[in-house]
């Protein structure tokens, strides 16, 4: 038969193990929560940055199309559509500059 001291030590050990397990589970929950919050924060920040960049790009594209329509109202711009759609920000800026002074749409889209 076990003595009182041994029984108390076993109960203390069981209580300690239970407390450690509860503590570990709480840390795990907190860690998951922190991970979720951090992931959401990073995702929102990246999404906003991408959205801002995309908005700026679309704004340049819109401005170029408007300028081309004003400068060359009778021109068929369909042949240049795929080039416009594929243009980078730098290319759009370059095309905007050319469109302001070019004599024809062909001159705007001519490669140097």
């Amino acid at each position: 038969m076990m003595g009182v001291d041994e029984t108390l030590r076993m109960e203390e050990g069981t209580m300690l193990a239970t407390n450690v397990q509860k503590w570990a589970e709480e840390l795990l929950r907190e860690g998951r929560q922190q991970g979720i919050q951090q992931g959401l924060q990073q995702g929102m920040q990246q999404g906003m940055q991408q959205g801002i960049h995309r908005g700026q790009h679309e704004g340049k594209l819109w401005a170029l199309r408007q300028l081309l329509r004003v400068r060359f109202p009778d021109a068929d711009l369909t042949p240049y559509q795929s080039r416009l759609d594929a243009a980078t920000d730098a290319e759009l800026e370059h095309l905007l500059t050319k469109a302001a002074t070019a004599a024809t749409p062909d001159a705007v889209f001519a490669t140097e």
Side-chain angles (χ1 to χ4, degrees), residues 18-83:
T18 301
N19 288 340
V20 168
Q21 183 178 358
K22 286 180 183 178
W23 181 64
E25 288 170 357
E26 183 61 30
L27 284 174
L28 184 59
R29 272 193 294 281
E30 284 182 36
R32 282 188 192 132
Q33 196 65 21
Q34 288 292 328
I36 289 169
Q37 287 175 346
Q38 190 174 10
L40 282 172
Q41 229 172 12
Q42 288 174 347
M44 285 173 40
Q45 187 175 14
Q46 282 181 330
M48 284 175 37
Q49 288 171 346
Q50 289 172 351
I52 289 168
H53 179 264
R54 185 69 190 159
Q56 290 171 340
H57 181 81
E58 289 298 321
K60 290 173 188 174
L61 183 57
W62 180 85
L64 178 57
R65 285 188 171 131
Q66 295 305 310
L67 180 59
L68 289 169
R69 285 187 188 118
V70 169
R71 295 271 343 269
F72 312 108
D74 299 326
D76 177 19
L77 301 174
T78 307
Y80 309 110
Q81 211 50 52
S82 62
R83 178 140 178 233

